[in-house]
Amino acid sequence: MALSPRPRPALVALVALVAPLGTLVASQRRMCHLRHPLSWGGPGPGVMAVTNGGPWGQWGHSEFCPTGSFAIGVQLKVQHYQGFFSDDTGLNGVRLLCDTGTDTVTSSVGPSGSWQQETLCDPGERLVSFRLMVEPARGVWDDAAAANMAVLCSGDVVLRPGSELARGPWGALSARCDAPCGVCGLRTRLEPEHPWDATGLNDVRLYCCAP
């Protein structure tokens, strides 16, 4: 597994200054209240977040399904295990599949890995919550940050698209988006590609929208 030549506290502090966790909502969609808001308040109204996201990189733009539509499935971009002496980046992108049948939504996407098979909720259902598998910081050893993502459908079925890079624990589910609302968009945090210990995608936000 590749060694990391650098500590990151300064980089994390810089990212916190230039990339606040506030919502960049470039959409006319109306946000919904969440069933169980996080105890620390969450990053904004109608924004679903997890508490175990990775600390590196910058937040991309928020992107949304067309007005009146919702996400009914997900597709992940994953870099599989690269070997002990190579750099692993794990999860590199998330794509939401909208119920229009033709529209998809992504935010920041890393260059490594490949898009996996689409995973869909049962007919008539939509996405309402999610969780991340994230590897905690490992010091001088290779960091991968987010390695996998699971989503919850409105029928209480969990979709876990899967990844060969099973590094780190699963965190808790985010707050839940209840009917008639549903997940309609996302925003991702990505560390830019560089030659030493890149981590790919670090964190995800999902948006809960009204019809």
Side-chain angles (χ1 to χ4, degrees):
M1 192 169 293
L3 291 176
S4 169
R6 49 86 169 96
R8 305 196 193 185
L11 176 61
V12 173
L14 177 62
V15 169
L17 289 175
V18 301
L21 298 185
T23 308
L24 298 179
V25 180
S27 169
Q28 299 301 312
R29 305 213 53 172
R30 182 166 58 90
M31 298 294 108
C32 284
H33 293 293
L34 301 174
R35 181 191 294 183
H36 298 299
L38 296 172
S39 59
W40 51 272
V47 184
M48 287 176 283
V50 293
T51 57
N52 66 325
W56 301 301
Q58 300 178 5
W59 287 97
H61 293 294
S62 301
E63 300 292 342
F64 294 85
C65 291
T67 301
S69 65
F70 297 96
I72 58 172
V74 66
Q75 186 179 22
L76 303 182
K77 187 180 185 185
V78 179
Q79 182 189 48
H80 298 312
Y81 180 58
Q82 298 297 292
F84 187 84
F85 294 104
S86 298
D87 185 25
D88 290 309
T89 60
L91 192 60
N92 270 254
V94 177
R95 177 180 290 154
L96 298 182
L97 312 175
C98 306
D99 60 11
T100 59
T102 56
D103 294 285
T104 62
V105 175
T106 59
S107 180
S108 297
V109 177
S112 302
S114 58
W115 289 102
Q116 307 300 295
Q117 185 175 356
E118 296 178 354
T119 306
L120 295 168
C121 294
D122 290 336
E125 298 182 6
R126 58 187 60 161
L127 303 187
V128 295
S129 183
F130 79 105
R131 66 193 301 198
L132 291 178
M133 174 189 286
V134 179
E135 180 183 55
R138 305 182 68 232
V140 299
W141 295 99
D142 178 35
D143 293 301
N148 202 352
M149 176 177 175
V151 293
L152 178 68
C153 298
S154 52
D156 290 330
V157 173
V158 175
L159 305 180
R160 192 174 295 170
S163 168
E164 291 182 8
L165 189 68
R167 287 172 56 169
W170 283 102
L173 282 168
S174 70
R176 180 170 177 144
C177 183
D178 277 340
C181 303
V183 170
C184 66
L186 84 165
R187 188 184 184 196
T188 55
R189 185 178 193 174
L190 182 77
E191 183 178 39
E193 186 75 4
H194 51 73
W196 34 267
D197 195 10
T199 59
L201 193 145
N202 273 246
D203 204 353
V204 178
R205 301 280 189 263
L206 295 185
Y207 295 102
C208 179
C209 294

